[in-house]
């Protein structure tokens, strides 16, 4: 990752996030709704995705079973392929040069497909199951992914298709912020209309 990217893109992503920060605080962690920030500078495109655990893996509680952990592993593997989730026109000539995917708020460490599972502990089954279930429901996990793309012709990105919704059936909507030299613009992309029309937003 170049020094230019490491300094520039966080600034752009911060600008995009700030536009929607108030709304996100009021509507925090709404099931079915994720956030997608897209920052564009020259041929570099940075994408940041945040989505509730229930949207991506089908549940939000801490992984407790082998099936839970397998579901998380599958979700992380799918999130690691941004150009399959977010369909960019071939004419843009984009390639992925960096990516980072992680599950946050979970008791285990889940990030970048390097998982450390330690489940040798034993449970005392005499405890209050109702209290355990309530604590489980109160837990919230979310997936966070960051991608860096290099696109030889970013002006060709006039639309983005969201195969994301086919990949993750529980996802209903993405609140999208696009930040470029022309400023920041907000969109909402929903399951029943999974295409974002950018027109000439990214230049000509």
């Amino acid at each position: 990752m170049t020094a230019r990217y490491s300094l520039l893109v966080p600034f752009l992503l911060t600008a995009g996030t700030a536009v929607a920060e108030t709304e996100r605080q009021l509507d925090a962690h709404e099931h079915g709704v994720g956030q997608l920030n897209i920052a564009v500078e020259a041929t570099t495109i940075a994408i940041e995705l945040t989505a509730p655990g229930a949207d991506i893996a089908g549940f939000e509680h801490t992984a407790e079973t082998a099936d839970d952990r397998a579901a998380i592993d599958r979700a992380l593997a799918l999130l690691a392929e941004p150009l399959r989730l977010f369909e960019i026109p071939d004419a843009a000539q984009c390639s992925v040069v960096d990516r980072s995917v992680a599950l946050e708020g979970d008791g285990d460490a889940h990030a970048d497909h390097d998982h450390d599972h330690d489940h040798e502990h034993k449970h005392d089954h005499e405890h209050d199951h109702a209290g355990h279930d309530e604590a489980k429901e109160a837990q919230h996990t979310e997936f966070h992914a960051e991608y860096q793309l290099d696109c030889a012709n970013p002006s060709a990105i006039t639309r983005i298709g969201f195969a994301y919704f086919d990949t993750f059936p529980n996802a209903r909507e993405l609140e999208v912020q696009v930040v470029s030299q022309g400023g920041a613009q907000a969109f909402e992309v929903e399951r029943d209309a999974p295409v974002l029309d950018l027109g000439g937003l990214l230049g000509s």
Side-chain angles (χ1 to χ4, degrees):
M1 187 177 296
T2 66
R4 181 169 181 264
Y5 170 78
S6 63
L7 293 174
L8 175 65
V9 171
F11 169 77
L12 291 177
L13 287 178
T14 299
T17 302
V19 174
E21 187 62 30
T22 300
E23 181 177 349
R24 288 179 59 181
Q25 288 176 351
L26 294 174
D27 199 26
H29 208 87
E30 179 182 351
H31 289 186
V33 180
Q35 286 78 39
L36 186 71
N37 294 321
I38 303 173
V40 182
E41 170 64 18
T43 61
T44 296
I45 297 181
I47 301 174
E48 179 186 35
L49 171 69
T50 304
D55 291 17
I56 305 301
F59 59 88
E60 290 198 338
H61 59 262
T62 297
E64 296 181 342
T65 68
D67 286 345
D68 287 349
R69 294 189 291 277
I72 289 172
D73 287 343
R74 286 194 299 271
L76 290 171
L78 291 169
L79 287 173
E81 300 295 336
L83 295 181
R84 293 179 182 269
L85 301 176
F86 310 111
E87 299 168 326
I88 294 174
D90 291 341
Q93 301 178 51
C94 294
S95 61
V96 181
V97 296
D98 196 11
R99 75 195 85 199
S100 173
V101 297
L103 175 62
E104 300 175 347
D106 186 54
D108 295 321
H110 297 277
D112 293 323
H113 307 289
D114 183 12
H115 314 312
D116 181 15
H117 301 303
D118 181 7
H119 295 275
E120 296 301 320
H121 61 279
K122 297 181 180 179
H123 294 285
D124 180 358
H125 293 285
E126 298 300 321
H127 64 275
D128 183 348
H129 287 282
H132 174 72
D133 290 342
E134 289 176 3
K136 187 175 179 179
E137 288 298 322
Q139 294 168 345
H140 292 290
T141 60
E142 65 181 19
F143 285 85
H144 184 253
E146 295 182 2
Y147 315 103
Q148 180 192 352
L149 308 183
D150 182 73
C151 299
N153 184 24
S155 63
I157 307 176
T158 56
R159 66 192 296 277
I160 299 175
F162 285 75
Y164 170 88
F165 293 108
D166 289 332
T167 304
F168 303 115
N170 292 328
R172 295 184 290 104
E173 179 183 321
L174 279 175
E175 297 173 348
V176 181
Q177 303 289 327
V178 179
V179 185
S180 66
Q181 294 290 6
Q185 191 163 344
F187 304 88
E188 290 185 358
V189 180
E190 299 182 346
R191 168 174 291 278
D192 59 358
V195 176
L196 174 58
D197 184 359
L198 293 172
L201 183 63
L202 302 186
S204 58

